[in-house]
Amino acid sequence: MATIDQSAATNSIEQATIRKISRRFMPVIILAYFVAYIDRVNIGMMKPELSADIGLTDITFGLASGLIFIGLIFFEIPSNSLAWRFGARRWIVRVMLSWGVVVIAGSLIQTPGQLYLMRIMLGLAEAGMAPAVFLFLAQWFPGRHRARALSAFYLSVPIALACGSPLTGWLLEIMHGTVGIAGWRWVLVIEGVAAIAIAPVVLRRLSDRPSAANWLTQPERDWLESALASEDTHRAEHSVSSFRRSLIDKQVWLFAVTYLLLGYGTNALVYWMPSIVSAATVHAPPLQVGLISAIPFACAGVGIYLVGRIAERTRARLWNMLAPVLLSVLGFGAAWLLGGHRVLAIVMLCVALTGALAAQPQFWTMPTAYMRGAAAAGGIALINSVNNIGGFAGPYSFGWLKQASPSGSTSLAFLVITAAQLLAVGCILIAYRSTAGRALRASVDDGVESPVPAS
């Protein structure tokens, strides 16, 4: 009876602790990444005005869209090394202030070359944001609860894309010509200022470590520290433990290639969705294009939420990753076959993006279960850095394949994206059957994240 009572008390402490952490951290993290993603992808909504003002073709637009990833590719790893050294909380705030300044400065550009430079600088400024958030969540959420926390974080992407496109379209319409300044320049100023304004809120709401969380009770801090320490002990049996070794570990590189393939199609459509919608809705105003472009990402938000809830309640870890990816294969494949039917193709892109984006937070449960400490900082940064190669290649290759098609069709681009998703399925299966997969199963199935705290 005493054992049962103790177990019930521990479970009550666990639920209260996770609830407090989630309510304190997740809204502000979602808000911060929401602003980051809008500042990254608003170029898609600005394309018509921007192209007319400074002269861009489909290929040069695709190049400008993708150049942000140059800075992300080369600075993610050193940036996350500094995040580990100075603390993820402070580093996230530094990133927000830096990219806000760069976005505001972008309102002054006059030529394609200046746009290219601004996009590269934006990538340098924003580098380390996502890896620092992954590192922060791994330091606060034990394995059983991490899938849902990651899903909540990833909700900021479809929220930004679902709300950001109409918001940017609305700003383009109401601000166009105000005091003689083009609407797209106002968009950059307003959205850059938002990043700077939110940074102090992030600094106040996030905490460096559980032991310093005076907003938790002592039993809650004891449970959390015990849970995370127990998980680290089990993880040590399966993983590397140093920053440098994580950069050459074959399991980490397998994760990196998998994540690149998973994100390739999404990265392309983040920038090209408004253009696809414009082609299907001729003469539609910017706000209408933004609203329609938001629909696939709104569907993806629902998918992320539902898969996150399912993942928290079940132990079908492999299928929580595979099922969404297979759904994306179905959607992208149908969009390829229905390339001549633009409206139906957009419907299938709703299916494709729902699966592609819902799979990504579930994928991250494997790397965060496999790595710990400084190795987590290095490995997470490496995975994100390699993924950013796909971030550059996605929008650029989509524009190149579209322009190379005789009729300007998107069918060939969707064929390539479908192939990438199929390769991702194979990589997930290999990873799950590896040492990393065993680490994931140990961190969740053995219950190491819910030890009874010492009395």
Side-chain angles (χ1 to χ4, degrees):
M1 180 65 70
T3 302
I4 295 174
D5 290 343
Q6 186 179 30
S7 178
T10 301
N11 184 64
S12 177
I13 292 172
E14 174 183 355
Q15 296 305 317
T17 305
I18 295 301
R19 186 163 52 249
K20 282 187 181 180
I21 295 172
S22 299
R23 289 176 177 175
R24 184 177 181 89
F25 293 160
M26 298 316 301
V28 72
I29 287 175
I30 291 171
L31 178 62
Y33 207 66
F34 168 83
V35 175
Y37 226 81
I38 287 181
D39 287 340
R40 180 187 294 192
V41 305
N42 56 18
I43 189 174
M45 282 300 300
M46 298 188 301
K47 180 177 181 285
E49 276 196 21
L50 189 61
S51 297
D53 277 3
I54 68 174
L56 294 174
T57 66
D58 279 350
I59 290 179
T60 56
F61 168 75
L63 176 61
S65 300
L67 279 174
I68 186 175
F69 293 99
I70 298 298
L72 294 171
I73 289 167
F74 290 105
F75 201 61
E76 290 277 39
I77 293 173
S79 180
N80 222 36
S81 174
L82 294 170
W84 173 253
R85 179 178 177 182
F86 294 111
R89 177 181 69 113
R90 294 181 181 87
W91 201 248
I92 291 168
V93 172
R94 194 285 304 165
V95 169
M96 295 185 70
L97 294 173
S98 299
W99 97 61
V101 170
V102 172
V103 170
I104 293 171
S107 65
L108 303 175
I109 62 174
Q110 301 290 335
T111 66
Q114 291 173 357
L115 176 63
Y116 298 157
L117 178 61
M118 176 263 189
R119 295 290 290 179
I120 292 172
M121 292 302 296
L122 183 58
L124 289 171
E126 194 182 314
M129 176 67 174
V133 171
F134 292 138
L135 180 62
F136 181 84
L137 295 179
Q139 291 171 338
W140 279 90
F141 286 91
R144 181 190 304 180
H145 303 281
R146 197 172 298 140
R148 189 172 180 184
L150 288 165
S151 293
F153 166 60
Y154 260 88
L155 276 174
S156 58
V157 176
I159 290 172
L161 295 169
C163 300
S165 292
L167 175 62
T168 302
W170 177 69
L171 289 173
L172 285 169
E173 287 190 13
I174 67 166
M175 299 302 295
H176 180 68
T178 302
V179 298
I181 298 175
W184 64 268
R185 297 185 189 275
W186 280 113
V187 166
L188 292 176
V189 171
I190 293 169
E191 295 179 355
V193 167
I196 295 173
I198 293 169
V201 180
V202 175
L203 186 65
R204 286 196 302 269
R205 295 294 292 178
L206 301 190
S207 300
D208 289 318
R209 57 192 181 278
S211 61
N214 56 13
W215 41 271
L216 291 175
T217 66
Q218 189 62 49
E220 289 167 347
R221 286 197 296 272
D222 290 343
W223 174 84
L224 183 58
E225 290 181 315
S226 180
L228 293 169
S230 179
E231 186 174 272
D232 274 349
T233 300
H234 281 70
R235 189 186 291 142
E237 300 172 5
H238 304 283
S239 69
V240 293
S241 58
S242 72
F243 190 100
R244 183 172 298 178
R245 289 196 62 185
S246 71
L247 303 182
I248 58 174
D249 184 76
K250 64 181 181 179
Q251 298 290 344
V252 176
W253 276 97
L254 176 59
F255 291 144
V257 172
T258 305
Y259 195 43
L260 183 154
L261 293 169
L262 282 175
Y264 172 77
T266 303
N267 283 321
L269 289 179
V270 159
Y271 296 97
W272 280 99
M273 185 61 74
S275 297
I276 295 170
V277 171
S278 286
T281 56
V282 182
H283 305 307
L287 180 56
Q288 185 177 337
V289 170
L291 289 170
I292 297 173
S293 299
I295 294 173
F297 298 105
C299 294
V302 175
I304 290 173
Y305 174 78
L306 292 176
V307 173
R309 293 297 298 270
I310 292 169
E312 187 181 38
R313 296 178 180 181
T314 70
R315 296 187 176 185
R317 304 302 162 188
L318 177 60
W319 282 105
N320 288 333
M321 288 182 275
L322 274 187
V325 184
L326 293 172
L327 183 65
S328 74
V329 171
L330 173 65
F332 283 126
W336 160 48
L337 295 172
L338 297 169
H341 304 276
R342 290 172 175 170
V343 175
L344 288 176
I346 291 174
V347 171
M348 294 315 300
L349 288 180
C350 293
V351 175
L353 285 171
T354 296
L357 282 169
Q360 292 182 28
Q362 301 311 311
F363 156 80
W364 275 104
T365 60
M366 272 202 292
T368 55
Y370 177 64
M371 296 176 288
R372 62 193 179 96
I380 288 170
L382 174 65
I383 295 165
N384 222 57
S385 182
V386 172
N387 171 64
N388 287 322
I389 297 173
F392 170 76
Y396 182 64
S397 63
F398 195 98
W400 186 87
L401 291 167
K402 180 176 180 292
Q403 193 157 310
S405 300
S407 60
S409 169
T410 58
S411 294
L412 183 57
F414 285 128
L415 174 60
V416 173
I417 292 172
T418 304
Q421 295 297 108
L422 282 170
L423 289 172
V425 170
C427 288
I428 288 171
L429 288 171
I430 294 171
Y432 193 77
R433 284 166 171 74
S434 68
T435 304
R438 291 196 295 274
L440 174 64
R441 293 190 289 276
S443 71
V444 178
D445 296 337
D446 293 344
V448 301
E449 67 286 275
S450 300
V452 177
S455 56

